[in-house]
Amino acid sequence: MVKIVERVGRFLGLGGDRSAVPPRYVALADGLIVTETHVEGWYLLGTSNTDLMSEGARDDELDQAIAALSRTLVGLDCHLRVLWSPLHAADYLAEAEQMFSAGDWRAWAELRVQRLDQIELPSRHLLLGVRLTDRTGAAQAAGRRTVQNSLGIGTSALSPRELARLDAQMRRLGHRLAASPWRAQPASVEMLAWMISREQHRGAPAPAAHRGTVTGAALANLTRGRVLPFPDHLQVTAPDGSVAAWSSVLVMTGFPESMEAPGPGEWLRMLAEVNYVPDLGDLDDNVSVVPVSPEASLRFRVHPKREALKLVDDARKQAKEQRRSAAANSAEDPGREIEETEDVMASLTRDMRRDDVTLAEDHPRLIVTSEESLDDLRARVDAVITFYGGLGIEVHVATEEQRELWLEAQPGDRLRVPDLGHVRDVAALAGSWWWGGAAVGDTDGPIAGYLTGSTPAPFRNDVTAGSSRGDATTTAYLGRSGRGKTTAMMLSLLDAGFRGGFGLALDFKGDLGGLVSAARYYGLSAHLVETGPRWSGFADLFKLLDREGSERAQTEVPTQLGIALPGHLWARGAETPIQHATNAVIAEGDPATWKVIEYLRQMEDPLAREAGEALHELAQTSIGAPFMGRPTTDVPPLRPEPGLWVVQMPGLSLPDIESDREDWSVSQRLSVALMHSMLAFGITTAGRRDLRGLRKIVAVPEVHVLTSTKEGSAFLSYIARVGRALGTALLLDSQDPESLAKLIGVVEQLTTVVGFQLTTPSQQDALAELLGLPQDAHTRALIRSIGLLPDGEIRHGHSIVRDRKFAAATVQWDIPSLELRDLLDTSPRPDVDPEDDVEHDPADDPDGQAVPLEKVTTP
């Protein structure tokens, strides 16, 4: 009978906190929600990159969070919301208009948008509300409003003076919270309007703020909806009377006595890890795991030290009295649990008096929502209960309390069900790590994949942005063969190409031909050149350095020919006739390296003729032809203009740094000479003043080929050191991070490190050092497993990324379609014709929608 009366009382709006009327909003402004009774300051919290944070760094950040709770928020009524929203992939098109300029950039951006729509990445929003003040005369104002509304003259205007006072109060607190690990900033009025209106599931656009505030009818429209409470869920009704969504509020009634972090103690951070398998019926035979994305509402209050000490002392005294009573009235043991409680309270009192420790009272609620069906909601609820049950946390549906708890979760409301809360020390509350997760990459720029840590989000990577922000410009892709590092580099080059950049890729392995195919398909200017007689003369230094004038080539060409020349001829003094022939050819006009060789062959000096004949024969080889052969076709030279150039040199055989020049074979001499052309062109292009405004990228897959020579190491160090000043980005791809770590000049300029799977402990430690991770067994296990699926198969494109802020997180590099994946395939394809231009025409592939590469790539 009593329960029936209580239910009737709640239904009629009676019965204390549970039956309090819903909040009546007066105004919204940046960082402020004003109701008829009180004012709340609302702040948007940042995400801290904690997934791969070191133990020491985690301890430091946790101490800072405890201090913020114990000092900044002590004595204040707080309301934390953890919300999820779908990623608005279409916004990327608007960004692309400002970001891309070359080729069919719109088709490229639309391909990424289609992929983002397909993988449905959720976005997490952390908002903290703090009750700032009660409104003066709120009760009288409420009485006047009742009379005024009955007469039709009601008003809820907020005076500019009051708004200015409240704004100053909110910002004073916000300034202190900004220094916390949460990096709090006042939530925009648009964010607050979205937070309130989203509960109605009507999809209405947020109202435009008038002079920075939302009031009146626009504010009332935010809560215009209908929510019907049922014993175990709520039903949200759409404007047409249909059901828009089903929601259920869950309460967390029991926690273990102690929880570890990292681990179960991070129960708020783990919200993104709750998944379930939806029942699709006969629509789909494939089994897919999707995130539940439960939301959290946590009202809490940190007690002042004196108040907390009193609570602890009262609990200790109560336990003591229970122990004495049990001992006096029974001959049995008073109970170990009572004795332990007394000891724990006494110990906690000592800690609170000695350290910066206090207590917090919190009331955690989880809100699970489905827009599919009631059965789907219950499947999601079961998944949440099962997940937290595995952590030792008791979660269940708040039966017969759905209305009260749903209202309690609304911003501007109050604590309605105080008997479902917990009292714990602030360290335990902070240990839930609600602000923890994964955050890595650029804040803007091209999207190249997505984070796979505890907070999924798009991964942005702009390899050309370092120079514009005054930072280093070198990116390293490191890991085993076949794990996706070269493909990740090609995706970066494509994005740079659409930004109007010039990219030069020195392809020593011969597997970057797909980059040219993909670039041409999407309308970019792209060229593939190779070693061999077909490309005779394309790397002629006279052509490559023509913008610098003949002065630069006048010294570079003799040096190059001297490298290619047999050692015995160089030892006999062939340097002098080679320089003479170079000067003579320049004087005649329209110089070319092959003309220098022909001039030598016609000279009267026997040594000159012998040197000329030797170089002429070497120019017929596949490695010698590109830099000193006579052009047989109209081959365009390398040009530093917007577009991508891939120079394939798979036959190079470069000598080791320790080897003497006299010991070089013919192949090694020619390889070094050809590389001399590429390096001279790269350095000259990077340093040209007229190209300072052009985004320039030099990409070197299999960088160990270059680092094995003195010239190559010097080139890499030069580009890395001056890349910022010259607007040139350097992309390095290597299977040997241990050797790369020895190039101090390069390592010091690394702005981004992308680490793929490695299995050798020494290489794993070298990669861990470059990623800024501890060199321990846990990191080695992480690097070993990063490229594997749960069943042990290869997971292509999965990596650990360290960004310019030295944050590290796991990232999936994502090729947005199978068609693009086939184009970028790094497997040898002998049937590819470098001169076969394939341009993109959307009409040719109307069904070319983005499709998943493999099911494991969707989070």
Side-chain angles (χ1 to χ4, degrees):
M1 182 65 181
V2 174
K3 290 186 177 180
I4 295 176
V5 172
E6 290 178 349
R7 293 178 185 176
V8 173
R10 287 198 299 269
F11 178 76
L12 295 176
L14 305 174
D17 292 337
R18 279 177 164 83
S19 57
V21 296
R24 292 183 63 91
Y25 300 112
V26 174
L28 302 181
D30 287 342
L32 288 173
I33 292 181
V34 183
T35 72
E36 287 186 341
T37 59
H38 67 280
V39 180
E40 294 180 353
W42 278 88
Y43 306 92
L44 186 65
L45 308 183
T47 294
S48 185
N49 189 58
T50 61
D51 281 3
L52 302 182
M53 186 179 286
S54 66
E55 184 177 352
R58 285 178 63 92
D59 291 342
D60 291 342
E61 185 153 325
L62 186 61
D63 289 342
Q64 295 174 31
I66 293 172
L69 287 170
S70 302
R71 300 170 186 172
T72 305
L73 296 179
V74 64
L76 298 175
D77 292 326
C78 303
H79 187 192
L80 176 70
R81 292 302 312 269
V82 181
L83 307 176
W84 300 94
S85 69
L87 177 70
H88 295 287
D91 293 344
Y92 189 61
L93 274 181
E95 295 181 42
E97 292 181 358
Q98 306 298 322
M99 184 167 49
F100 298 138
S101 59
D104 191 358
W105 62 264
R106 182 171 293 278
W108 177 252
E110 288 176 347
L111 184 65
R112 180 60 68 184
V113 169
Q114 292 170 4
R115 177 60 173 164
L116 291 174
D117 282 334
Q118 184 184 59
I119 61 180
E120 298 179 336
L121 286 175
S123 297
R124 189 181 72 171
H125 309 277
L126 302 175
L127 291 117
L128 176 65
V130 181
R131 187 165 179 144
L132 299 178
T133 182
D134 292 335
R135 298 191 69 200
T136 304
Q140 293 86 344
R144 289 196 303 269
R145 176 185 54 78
T146 302
V147 176
Q148 290 171 346
N149 286 347
S150 65
L151 298 175
I153 58 174
T155 178
S156 59
L158 182 68
S159 69
R161 183 176 180 179
E162 183 181 4
L163 179 61
R165 177 179 59 81
L166 295 173
D167 181 78
Q169 186 177 356
M170 177 271 297
R171 293 188 184 278
R172 281 195 298 271
L173 178 59
H175 181 72
R176 298 175 63 188
L177 290 174
S180 72
W182 313 317
R183 304 187 304 279
Q185 297 295 325
S188 67
V189 65
E190 292 81 8
M191 173 63 76
L192 296 178
W194 168 80
M195 178 173 60
I196 294 173
S197 65
R198 66 190 294 275
E199 303 294 342
Q200 313 304 320
H201 292 270
R202 297 202 165 198
H210 177 65
R211 296 181 180 178
T213 62
V214 177
T215 59
L219 180 56
N221 190 53
L222 296 178
T223 56
R224 185 165 297 157
R226 189 180 182 192
V227 180
L228 303 177
F230 290 83
D232 65 345
H233 71 280
L234 301 113
Q235 183 175 291
V236 184
T237 305
D240 61 359
S242 62
V243 180
W246 294 262
S247 294
S248 184
V249 185
L250 283 62
V251 291
M252 311 181 83
T253 56
F255 288 84
E257 290 186 5
S258 62
M259 295 187 293
E260 295 184 357
E266 302 175 288
W267 52 274
L268 273 177
R269 181 197 60 79
M270 292 180 172
L271 289 171
E273 299 179 14
V274 185
N275 300 312
Y276 83 118
V277 179
D279 183 8
L280 302 177
D282 298 331
L283 298 178
D284 194 348
D285 295 332
N286 297 319
V287 176
S288 59
V289 178
V290 298
V292 174
S293 300
E295 299 181 344
S297 171
L298 181 72
R299 290 188 178 272
F300 67 92
R301 184 177 186 272
V302 178
H303 294 292
K305 181 67 72 70
R306 180 177 298 179
E307 184 179 318
L309 283 170
K310 186 177 184 306
L311 288 173
V312 174
D313 192 52
D314 289 345
R316 182 189 63 80
K317 290 179 179 178
Q318 184 179 2
K320 183 177 181 180
E321 290 297 327
Q322 290 176 345
R323 176 177 57 80
R324 288 179 174 178
S325 176
N329 299 323
S330 174
E332 298 180 2
D333 188 349
R336 182 176 298 276
E337 185 174 342
I338 294 177
E339 294 179 349
E340 287 182 353
T341 300
E342 188 177 356
D343 293 340
V344 169
M345 292 301 104
S347 175
L348 182 57
T349 300
R350 290 192 300 269
D351 292 341
M352 291 176 63
R353 293 185 185 279
R354 183 175 60 251
D355 302 324
D356 189 15
V357 176
T358 187
L359 298 181
E361 181 179 350
D362 61 79
H363 302 264
R365 326 292 191 215
L366 300 180
I367 298 97
V368 182
T369 301
S370 172
E371 295 182 350
E372 301 298 328
S373 66
L374 181 57
D375 288 338
D376 183 66
L377 170 68
R378 287 171 174 159
R380 291 169 180 259
V381 168
D382 289 343
V384 174
I385 294 174
T386 301
F387 176 84
Y388 280 102
L391 303 178
I393 301 174
E394 297 176 12
V395 178
H396 64 82
V397 177
T399 307
E400 303 294 349
E401 301 274 15
Q402 292 293 304
R403 173 189 177 275
E404 291 77 9
L405 292 174
W406 184 84
L407 287 172
E408 181 187 280
Q410 305 310 302
D413 202 83
R414 59 193 298 176
L415 179 63
R416 291 175 176 267
V417 189
D419 50 327
L420 294 176
H422 306 272
V423 177
R424 54 185 126 206
D425 62 69
V426 289
L429 179 60
S432 64
W433 283 94
W434 64 79
W435 72 99
V440 74
D442 296 318
T443 55
D444 52 20
I447 294 177
Y450 53 84
L451 305 184
T452 58
S454 57
T455 48
F459 168 66
R460 295 177 181 268
N461 178 55
D462 187 357
V463 296
T464 67
S467 179
S468 60
R469 58 177 173 245
D471 200 358
T473 59
T474 302
T475 300
Y477 306 81
L478 308 170
R480 293 183 71 187
S481 176
R483 294 305 183 267
K485 61 184 185 299
T486 303
T487 302
M489 175 186 284
M490 288 193 287
L491 288 173
S492 300
L493 281 167
L494 284 170
D495 282 325
F498 286 107
R499 302 207 70 179
F502 161 77
L504 173 64
L506 305 180
D507 185 9
F508 300 119
K509 196 165 61 173
D511 58 3
L512 292 188
L515 173 64
V516 175
S517 300
R520 289 173 177 171
Y521 185 79
Y522 287 98
L524 286 176
S525 174
H527 309 273
L528 174 65
V529 294
E530 303 170 322
T531 56
R534 180 181 180 183
W535 300 96
S536 183
F538 87 86
D540 191 325
L541 282 175
F542 280 114
K543 303 300 181 184
L544 298 182
L545 306 179
D546 60 341
R547 290 291 186 92
E548 297 293 304
S550 58
E551 293 80 6
R552 178 74 185 274
Q554 194 168 12
T555 57
E556 294 289 352
V557 170
T559 300
Q560 183 183 51
L561 293 179
I563 294 173
L565 195 69
H568 68 92
L569 294 177
W570 186 260
R572 287 167 54 191
E575 177 183 6
T576 300
I578 290 177
Q579 186 66 62
H580 172 77
T582 302
N583 296 339
V585 168
I586 292 175
E588 293 176 357
D590 190 23
T593 302
W594 69 269
K595 292 182 179 180
V596 174
I597 296 174
E598 291 302 315
Y599 191 95
L600 285 169
R601 296 176 69 191
Q602 303 300 322
M603 289 177 63
E604 295 181 358
D605 183 1
L607 179 59
R609 289 199 303 272
E610 188 176 354
E613 291 297 334
L615 293 172
H616 175 75
E617 295 301 324
L618 293 173
Q620 313 308 310
T621 64
S622 60
I623 302 178
F627 69 92
M628 60 180 176
R630 183 170 186 169
T632 57
T633 59
D634 187 16
V635 176
L638 294 174
R639 299 186 301 272
E641 58 189 31
L644 301 178
W645 287 82
V646 175
V647 181
Q648 289 190 336
M649 299 171 285
L652 293 192
S653 176
L654 297 173
D656 296 333
I657 294 179
E658 295 80 9
S659 61
D660 294 328
R661 182 172 176 175
E662 292 77 12
D663 299 329
W664 290 359
S665 66
V666 174
S667 177
Q668 289 174 330
R669 294 200 315 270
L670 293 177
S671 296
V672 173
L674 175 58
M675 187 55 59
H676 185 83
S677 283
M678 296 296 99
L679 302 186
F681 175 69
I683 292 175
T684 302
T685 301
R688 280 176 49 177
R689 293 184 178 274
D690 60 320
L691 299 178
R692 292 291 172 90
L694 177 66
R695 298 173 185 266
K696 299 178 288 293
I697 310 96
V698 177
V700 187
E702 306 299 327
V703 71
H704 59 271
V705 176
L706 269 188
T707 57
S708 65
T709 67
K710 295 179 181 178
E711 294 85 354
S713 298
F715 168 75
L716 294 176
S717 296
Y718 172 78
I719 295 296
R721 292 178 187 275
V722 304
R724 179 192 61 80
L726 303 180
T728 302
L730 179 62
L731 311 185
L732 306 177
D733 162 355
S734 178
Q735 301 179 35
D736 186 8
E738 194 172 11
S739 296
L740 182 66
K742 297 176 183 178
L743 298 177
I744 304 302
V746 175
V747 172
E748 283 294 327
Q749 304 303 321
L750 285 174
T751 182
T752 303
V753 178
V754 184
F756 294 85
Q757 185 193 36
L758 288 167
T759 57
T760 306
S762 60
Q763 295 287 8
Q764 291 169 347
D765 286 344
L767 179 58
E769 182 179 6
L770 294 174
L771 290 170
L773 299 178
Q775 299 181 41
D776 55 21
H778 178 268
T779 303
R780 294 187 199 102
L782 173 65
I783 294 174
R784 184 181 184 87
S785 64
I786 193 66
L788 298 176
L789 296 170
D791 61 1
E793 293 297 326
I794 298 175
R795 181 174 183 176
H796 299 281
H798 200 215
S799 65
I800 307 169
V801 175
R802 190 220 79 189
D803 63 15
R804 61 189 178 90
K805 297 179 181 179
F806 290 88
T810 55
V811 169
Q812 177 68 51
W813 292 80
D814 189 53
I815 305 176
S817 73
L818 283 172
E819 185 174 38
L820 181 61
R821 187 188 69 175
D822 292 340
L823 289 172
L824 293 178
D825 186 10
T826 59
S827 302
R829 293 179 295 173
D831 57 331
V832 173
D833 187 348
E835 293 185 341
D836 183 17
D837 288 346
V838 181
E839 297 186 357
H840 174 59
D841 183 358
D844 294 339
D845 58 330
D847 298 324
Q849 303 296 313
V851 291
L853 300 181
E854 44 188 330
K855 287 195 175 293
V856 298
T857 64
T858 44

